[in-house]
Amino acid sequence: MKKYIKWAMAGLITLLLFSRFIIPNPEFEKPTATVLESTEGVLLGARIASDGQWRFPSADSIPLKFQKCILAFEDRYFYYHFGINPASIFRSIKVNIAEGKIVQGGSTITMQVARLLRDGKPRNLYQKIIETFITLHLEVNYSKERILEMYASNAPFGGNVVGLEAASWRYYGRSPFRLSWAEYAALAVLPNAPALIYPGKNHDILKRKRDFLLDKLLEMDVIDEETNQLSKLEPLPGEPQQLPNVAQHALDRVYSKSPGKRAATTIKSNLQRNAQRILNNHVQYLTNNEIYNAAAVLVKVEDGSVLAYVGNANYTKEHDNDVDVVIANRSTGSILKPFLYASALTNGELLPTMLVPDVPTYISGYVPKNYFPSFDGVARANEALYRSLNVPFVRLLQQYGVDRFYNDLKKMKMSSLRFPSSHYGLSLILGGAEAQLLDLASMYSGMARVLKHGGVAYPSSDWFRSNIIESEREQSTKSMKVVSAAAIYHAFNAMKEVTRPVSEDGWQSFSSSRHIAWKTGTSFGNKDAWAVGATPEYVVAVWVGNADGEGRPGLTGVTAAAPLMFELFDQLPGTSWFELPLDDVVEAAVCTKSGYRASQYCEAADTVALPITNKKTPICPYHRLVHLSKDRLWQVNADCALPSEIVNEKWFVLPPMQEWYYKRKSPLYATLPPFREDCMDFDSDPLMEFIYPKNTSKVFIPTQLDGSRGSAIFEVAYRTAGKDLFWHLDGEYLGSTRDFHQMEIDGAKGEHVLVVVDEEGNEMVKVFTILND
């Protein structure tokens, strides 16, 4: 007998060693649901597994109370046996013989895990032997805690609900870590007979089993008498509940990339819920104007993590509200202007207060217009940014180079630029390209991060995965600072001055109000309204419009998107403001009037902290030393006046076209006096300049609505007011103009010569070609 025992023990040891080191560990291979969790571990949403079961991915821990309940009901000696409990088996055999039928099983929890692993296999002696071997294998290779977790994650809980976590959310609408003793007890008895006991049905049976377990817990001193009695009074679960769905579009993205996985995100659950509610309310208000969609992303600047991701308003399903607009390609409008401004500053091609032209512009048939159809002549660069003037930025892009700016945007990880730069041309800065809200949030937060922390501007990996899904976040060690900290500082300071919407009037009066660098954008046809705001701590990016692309009157960034952005900022903690990046700036003298680096002729200069590249910009071209008669009414020179009769004076002079528009809005602008008749200087600045046609010699005559031939309006800027200009086309006199110098030109197809002459005989010639009959 001893010999057989020894052989049996040797065989068992060999079997266990074989199991431990050679046979792979068994794992559950059934599909699982896609689960999205907040940074606090709160369930944001879930997508059912591909086999139609609510089976969550295996959890790494289970609540202690549930452990006590399940062990008391299923396997009291779980921690003391080696997968098989002989006492339980003998007891079940005795009970079943006495009853004349099977009323009690002797399976341990480990044996039940083995059976679950063999789900679908026939119940016979052969399968029982295999399950026994698997049971021993599990005990050898896994800890008791891991076996218990496998059971809790894969046990049936009735209907299509599998596992404790899915059951907790489906039956109680809460996390399994937030249940009561009565609720844990009810769930613990369900796997024992899931086909018979189903929440919402068979309540009497379920209550008897639950109360039996509660009494057993009392008997084992796990709970006290009061808890026992109160727990029995708690209601049983009813019909399965809907799972939370507070981040639908983020869940859709996770599902498309990692189906069947658990995604622990950086999203804050309360902030997500509030953001969704605010978007729903905002869009419901906008439905009066037939605007039905909105999206928003809230980002933490320090690490680029997404705190809220609202792909669309979801108060209705009738207007494409399932579309995730956060990742949709939409026309940018003016939302890219801060990047061009910062790029030009970084490369020393612009200064914050430098005067930039704002005049009618014609570039190879492209005619940009300001939102309000007027021109200032010149505007300061920072003013052009916070007023979002289109013409100065088109001219700046032409100067900076479309290819260079296109490459800058690529480096900033703007993923929607699918065509070469030549496809977009100068319209790139006014909405000619499309962008994704998620990219814009990344780009603005990248700039804020460089300025605030000196950190990585733009992640090198998939921005959604690295900034939404916590487990897959990557922090690149390679910095990609496309624009300098000093340039960003000046850009954000300019953006802080943007006039806020009516709902924000008087914000400076409140001590708790926050400074925000913000920019809006409105696409052509009023189809897209953007607003992005940045502080050292947070970035809020918002889009409003119709997902189907329908434009609506009044759909602008300022009126439709900006109020939503500010309301979302109100949900965030208090913020600070950016500090001047001292290591990236140098003090320099800047001409007060022109904003250029001061020349010897500037009347006044200010000392300003500028980017260290500022020396690449030219000195002020608008201030000069002029020679005047003693009465200061005429310009003179040494050929017509004695030195004693000449007064030298510093003067601020704009080119004729810029001056013509500028002086109409700036009454303090002093026009340069004309030359005295005996002192004409033909090498001096031109007195007049063509506004149209400016940089083209080809003209197209439009056709009127009634089909008749129209005419082209030629326009000239003339430096001296109150003077007449005389117009001649191909040698024939057309007429004269005073102050507003515009003339209708109607000629035949072909080449023509236009001559404009002033009262002193100064003339300007334009050779042009009319392209159509």
Side-chain angles (χ1 to χ4, degrees):
M1 184 66 178
K2 291 183 178 180
K3 181 179 179 180
Y4 292 115
I5 294 175
K6 288 181 179 179
W7 279 108
M9 291 298 294
L12 179 60
I13 291 173
T14 301
L15 191 63
L16 293 178
L17 290 174
F18 186 72
S19 171
R20 181 71 177 87
F21 297 107
I22 299 178
I23 299 178
N25 292 335
E27 295 290 344
F28 287 94
E29 298 180 352
K30 290 195 172 182
T32 56
T34 307
V35 176
L36 192 73
E37 294 179 343
S38 72
T39 189
E40 308 94 345
V42 176
L43 182 66
L44 298 173
R47 183 77 63 83
I48 198 167
S50 58
D51 63 353
Q53 302 293 304
W54 281 112
R55 184 189 300 106
F56 282 23
S58 180
D60 56 6
S61 63
I62 58 176
L64 180 60
K65 290 182 179 180
F66 181 76
Q67 292 183 40
K68 292 184 179 296
C69 288
I70 198 67
L71 294 182
F73 190 74
E74 294 283 359
D75 193 351
R76 187 170 181 177
Y77 300 101
F78 175 72
Y79 283 101
Y80 303 101
H81 60 65
F82 199 66
I84 300 173
N85 187 351
S88 296
I89 293 175
F90 292 138
R91 183 171 60 251
S92 65
I93 293 174
K94 181 179 178 181
V95 171
N96 292 337
I97 291 174
E99 294 289 335
K101 58 181 180 179
I102 298 177
V103 296
Q104 181 176 315
S107 298
T108 64
I109 290 217
T110 312
M111 294 170 70
Q112 293 184 54
V113 172
R115 187 179 305 132
L116 290 170
L117 283 165
R118 301 286 293 171
D119 183 43
K121 301 297 182 181
R123 304 298 298 274
N124 54 39
L125 181 60
Y126 173 72
Q127 292 297 331
K128 198 70 177 177
I129 293 173
I130 294 178
E131 290 174 8
T132 301
F133 180 76
I134 294 174
T135 298
L136 296 175
H137 182 85
L138 291 170
E139 290 285 346
V140 169
N141 291 278
Y142 291 109
S143 67
K144 289 287 188 178
E145 289 73 18
R146 176 59 184 146
I147 294 171
L148 199 56
E149 290 166 6
M150 293 172 73
Y151 175 80
S153 296
N154 295 278
F157 282 80
N160 66 343
V161 179
V162 179
L164 170 64
E165 188 175 8
S168 178
W169 282 105
R170 288 288 281 162
Y171 298 146
Y172 293 108
R174 297 197 302 280
S175 163
F177 289 90
R178 297 179 55 200
L179 302 182
S180 67
W181 278 110
E183 291 165 339
Y184 283 123
L187 292 180
V189 304
L190 284 179
N192 185 258
L196 173 64
I197 305 170
Y198 182 74
K201 300 178 181 179
N202 305 311
H203 270 215
D204 292 341
I205 301 175
L206 180 56
K207 181 170 176 30
R208 281 200 305 270
K209 283 185 170 286
R210 183 198 69 176
D211 292 351
F212 168 78
L213 176 54
L214 289 170
D215 288 338
K216 201 169 185 178
L217 293 172
L218 175 62
E219 177 186 326
M220 296 169 60
D221 291 328
V222 175
I223 61 175
D224 56 30
E225 181 67 35
E226 182 181 7
T227 302
N228 176 271
Q229 295 301 316
L230 292 175
S231 296
K232 290 180 179 180
L233 297 175
E234 290 190 26
L236 294 168
E239 294 291 334
Q241 301 180 24
Q242 292 292 326
L243 295 181
N245 188 26
V246 296
Q248 171 191 341
H249 300 92
L251 175 61
D252 290 343
R253 289 216 65 194
V254 171
Y255 179 79
S256 68
K257 292 175 176 289
S258 305
K261 303 295 184 182
R262 182 188 301 273
T265 73
T266 59
I267 294 174
K268 290 183 173 292
S269 57
N270 286 338
L271 186 60
Q272 175 74 23
R273 292 176 186 275
N274 289 339
Q276 184 72 71
R277 172 182 53 80
I278 289 170
L279 254 73
N280 290 349
N281 293 340
H282 186 73
V283 171
Q284 200 162 6
Y285 168 75
L286 294 177
T287 56
N288 294 323
N289 190 24
E290 298 182 15
I291 300 169
Y292 302 108
N293 304 106
V297 178
L298 281 65
V299 176
K300 184 178 180 181
V301 166
E302 184 175 5
D303 56 6
S305 58
V306 172
L307 304 179
Y309 182 110
V310 184
N312 210 326
N314 64 3
Y315 76 97
T316 178
K317 300 298 182 185
E318 299 175 358
H319 300 283
D320 299 308
N321 297 98
D322 287 331
V323 175
D324 185 355
V325 188
V326 166
I327 56 172
N329 292 330
R330 309 292 304 201
S331 176
T332 56
S334 298
I335 205 69
L336 300 180
K337 287 177 180 175
F339 302 115
L340 176 59
Y341 179 89
S343 292
L345 282 175
T346 299
N347 289 279
E349 298 175 32
L350 190 70
L351 295 179
T353 58
M354 178 188 293
L355 292 178
V356 292
D358 180 28
V359 292
T361 300
Y362 308 87
I363 305 173
S364 301
Y366 181 54
V367 185
K369 302 289 185 182
N370 291 326
Y371 183 79
F372 295 104
S374 62
F375 302 95
D376 289 354
V378 290
R380 297 195 181 276
N382 55 5
E383 180 187 0
L385 178 58
Y386 69 70
R387 289 177 56 196
S388 198
L389 298 176
N390 292 337
V391 171
F393 272 92
V394 169
R395 298 174 71 104
L396 178 61
L397 179 58
Q398 183 188 35
Q399 170 192 320
Y400 186 78
V402 174
D403 288 344
R404 288 175 68 195
F405 184 54
Y406 175 90
N407 291 330
D408 287 349
L409 294 176
K410 281 283 193 180
K411 292 176 183 177
M412 294 177 190
K413 302 300 179 183
M414 185 170 166
S415 63
S416 53
L417 296 174
R418 298 169 294 171
F419 303 103
S421 60
S422 58
H423 173 82
Y424 305 104
L426 294 174
S427 69
L428 177 62
I429 199 62
L430 298 184
E434 295 179 327
Q436 296 181 7
L437 188 64
L438 197 61
D439 284 347
L440 291 174
S442 172
M443 294 162 71
Y444 275 92
S445 66
M447 289 208 301
R449 188 157 50 254
V450 167
L451 181 53
K452 174 64 176 178
H453 303 291
V456 178
Y458 312 100
S460 59
S461 59
D462 183 324
W463 193 77
F464 176 82
R465 296 176 72 86
S466 64
N467 290 276
I468 292 281
I469 305 176
E470 184 71 40
S471 61
E472 301 186 23
R473 300 189 65 208
E474 299 176 4
Q475 291 299 324
S476 171
T477 57
K478 182 179 179 181
S479 177
M480 190 180 294
K481 301 175 184 176
V482 181
V483 290
S484 70
I488 298 169
Y489 177 81
H490 284 291
F492 281 178
N493 266 311
M495 293 161 64
K496 185 177 64 173
E497 302 303 320
V498 178
T499 302
R500 299 199 179 190
V502 175
S503 60
E504 291 285 315
D505 279 354
W507 65 275
Q508 299 97 331
S509 304
F510 299 95
S511 59
S512 61
S513 63
R514 70 182 83 213
H515 292 285
I516 300 172
W518 66 290
K519 183 72 183 74
T520 62
T522 305
S523 69
F524 179 77
N526 298 91
K527 298 179 179 180
D528 306 275
W530 304 86
V532 181
T535 70
E537 292 79 20
Y538 305 104
V539 164
V540 175
V542 165
W543 174 92
V544 176
N546 287 313
D548 62 5
E550 181 184 357
R552 294 300 303 164
L555 178 62
T556 68
V558 172
T559 59
L564 176 58
M565 182 200 71
F566 283 109
E567 190 171 0
L568 290 172
F569 257 115
D570 289 340
Q571 304 302 309
L572 296 168
T575 54
S576 58
W577 186 243
F578 299 98
E579 295 181 359
L580 180 68
L582 297 177
D583 294 338
D584 204 35
V585 298
V586 63
E587 289 191 343
V590 172
C591 180
T592 303
K593 280 190 176 181
S594 71
Y596 280 77
R597 290 191 301 122
S599 71
Q600 60 180 320
Y601 300 121
C602 287
E603 299 165 302
D606 300 317
T607 302
V608 181
L610 297 176
I612 56 178
T613 55
N614 77 86
K615 289 187 178 179
K616 295 181 181 180
T617 59
I619 62 172
C620 176
Y622 298 132
H623 279 86
R624 66 181 60 182
L625 190 67
V626 297
H627 310 298
L628 305 177
S629 60
K630 284 189 175 182
D631 56 10
R632 291 179 170 78
L633 297 178
W634 306 97
Q635 289 189 68
V636 296
N637 53 45
D639 294 334
C640 61
L642 297 174
S644 60
E645 297 175 344
I646 297 176
V647 175
N648 297 320
E649 194 165 313
K650 298 175 181 178
W651 208 284
F652 176 67
V653 185
L654 292 173
M657 190 190 309
Q658 297 173 24
E659 180 185 84
W660 191 77
Y661 286 96
Y662 182 73
K663 66 185 180 182
R664 291 193 295 175
K665 294 189 175 183
S666 304
L668 297 180
Y669 177 79
T671 303
L672 192 67
F675 275 91
R676 203 168 63 194
E677 288 186 5
D678 60 334
C679 298
M680 295 298 293
D681 185 352
F682 297 101
D683 294 326
S684 63
D685 290 330
L687 292 172
M688 49 187 164
E689 181 179 357
F690 273 106
I691 297 175
Y692 179 81
K694 175 65 175 174
N695 297 317
T696 181
S697 59
K698 297 179 180 180
V699 176
F700 187 87
I701 302 296
T703 300
Q704 305 293 340
L705 292 176
D706 60 3
S708 62
R709 179 182 173 84
S711 60
I713 306 298
F714 281 40
E715 187 172 8
V716 167
Y718 187 63
R719 190 181 296 279
T720 305
K723 297 282 187 177
D724 289 330
L725 294 183
F726 305 95
W727 301 67
H728 303 79
L729 179 64
D730 299 330
E732 294 186 9
Y733 176 67
L734 296 179
S736 64
T737 57
R738 177 181 286 252
D739 292 332
F740 296 98
H741 303 289
Q742 295 179 340
M743 181 64 66
E744 290 188 10
I745 303 296
D746 181 12
K749 182 179 180 180
E751 187 175 272
H752 299 271
V753 178
L754 177 67
V755 179
V756 182
V757 184
D758 69 3
E759 294 179 6
E760 282 74 36
N762 301 302
E763 69 176 35
M764 182 171 58
V765 179
K766 182 71 176 182
V767 179
F768 65 96
T769 300
I770 294 179
L771 299 177
N772 60 321
D773 292 323

